Amino acid sequence: MDRRDFVRFGAVAGVAAITGRPVAGQMLESGSEFTGVVKRVAISPFDLEEATIADLQAGMTAGRMTSVSITRQYIARIEELDRKGPTLRHVLEINPDALAIAESLDRERKSGRVRGPLHGVPILLKDNIDTADRMTTTAGSLALEGSIPLQDAFIAAKLRAAGAVLLGKTNLSEWANFRSTHSSSGWSGRGGQAKNPYVLDRNPCGSSSGSGGAVSANLCAAAIGTETDGSIVCPSSANGIVGIKPTLGLVSRTGIIPIAHSQDTAGPMARTVRDAAIILNALTGIDPRDPATRGAQARGLIDYTRALDPNGLRGARIGVARTKFFGYSDVTDKIVNDAIDAMKALGAVIVDPANIETAGKFDDSEFDVLLYEFKADLNAYLAGLGPKAPVRTLQDIIDFNDRNKDREMPWFGQEIMVMAQKKGPVSEKKYRDQLAKNVRMSRTQGIDATMNKHKLDAIVAPTGGPPWTTDLINGDHFSGASSTPAAVAGYPNINVPAGFWHSLPVGVSFFGRAYSEPTLIKLAYAYEQATKHRRAPQFIPTLAD
């Protein structure tokens, strides 16, 4: 199913001062200026605004900064923008041990040990990634409030080992947007409704809403999101950042609250392709507890920063997937067509169209597979939390929500959870047949067939349109996206900012074959460096005035 259907089905006064000044540089469309007057929230100057990982490392190396000072600045930024001011609602909790961790890492640096490029750098984690510390892991649900896993997720342990400061947990579409047929992306029982930092009444997309918004609003150096179908690339597009949805199995799924093992993965969300590549290096590795990671074993460890080539588009064959992914938004089409023209000017060979002939033909079977796997995988996760887990099964969660409707279901229900609970085991023939269909149509008859036919290095398409207005009554109402083929295939997908429309960001997706992350990073980086569409948000309350 496409991202629109995925979300439709559910998978998918302190410092605030309002001014009436024109905001310089607001884009009406790709290549033209917005000349109207808009209101924005005035915020304090921030020394680390748009700071890259390299900037932070250079500051610590030179002694101008420490991990403690950086962590303190991000915590203050969260307090100003997330709790007060525009009340972004991106961060559910700050790690109470963050400063102590930063202090320990500063001592290591002083003694001559630097673990790598993430040493001392604050990273936020989506609140479906386990941490065995004083933070909870709840998928945004009150049903898991207070739940502390028995051990770190594999990727959380990898980040700690790399020297990252686990700064806190981000808000998300509750249960990764797999609860209701008309949910609002970015809403959770724990955190309420997250806002888009560009225009506050617009939606940040999801389900990695808080991760995407926090990165964009400079509440952290970078963040980790998760995706089943669109949940990294859509909020990356809507929040004007870079997001990498890796090949299934490149990053371990152990210790991540699941939707579906055939599609779930975690990935980096950052303001630059370089930063995303640095974080991807830290996340990958063979996990004995996740057999899917064995597929990457023969490839060995890869340094994805070696793919950062500003001339990477020269001679590359880029296919444009038009059918199903263009035509729903004139604005989006124009911005992405301009992006394609830029790729051509940078030396790419553009094959247009290069349609995925099976696109749209496995929507229903995708959803059915997700229902089966959600029940099986979530029950297995909950059973692994130990005897103190507040809920033990999917049925327990459904019952909890029914008992707490005023807090958990004030805006939308849990129809998808009920549908999943009615499913049988994953040993059923219907499930196995639907999964086989999805693999065949998304891979061999889908992305692989398209790339073989046209001899492509990658496929591009709009990630999605400009962010829509948040509507808690009716739910999400965006019009289209392109995440499904790569999501169902388990293939990599990278979003890069492509332009703006009335201050609202639009992204372009680069996707391709399994384990083609080095190629996609090379292409995405070359496009990013030539166009540099990323800019910090201005926290405009609304475009309606």
Side-chain angles (χ1 to χ4, degrees), residues 227 232-234 236-237 241-247 250 268-270 272-274 276-277 280 304 307-308 343 458-464 482-483 486-487 491-498 507-512 516-528:
E227 174 163 328
I232 288 175
V233 294
C234 183
S236 294
S237 174
I241 64 169
V242 174
I244 300 179
K245 195 284 288 189
T247 302
L250 185 65
M269 303 174 76
T272 69
V273 175
R274 180 179 293 277
L280 186 61
Y304 293 100
L308 299 170
M343 294 175 206
I459 300 171
V460 298
T463 306
S482 62
S483 62
Y491 287 1
N493 192 358
I494 301 180
N495 173 80
V496 181
V508 61
S509 283
F510 295 79
F511 56 97
S516 64
E517 281 85 355
T519 297
L520 300 182
I521 288 169
K522 178 177 70 172
L523 302 175
Y525 180 75
Y527 172 75
E528 173 200 55

Side-chain angles (χ1 to χ4, degrees), residues 176-191:
N177 225 358
F178 208 69
R179 202 191 87 178
S180 173
T181 56
H182 59 282
S183 61
S184 173
S185 289
W187 186 92
S188 74
R190 279 192 71 199

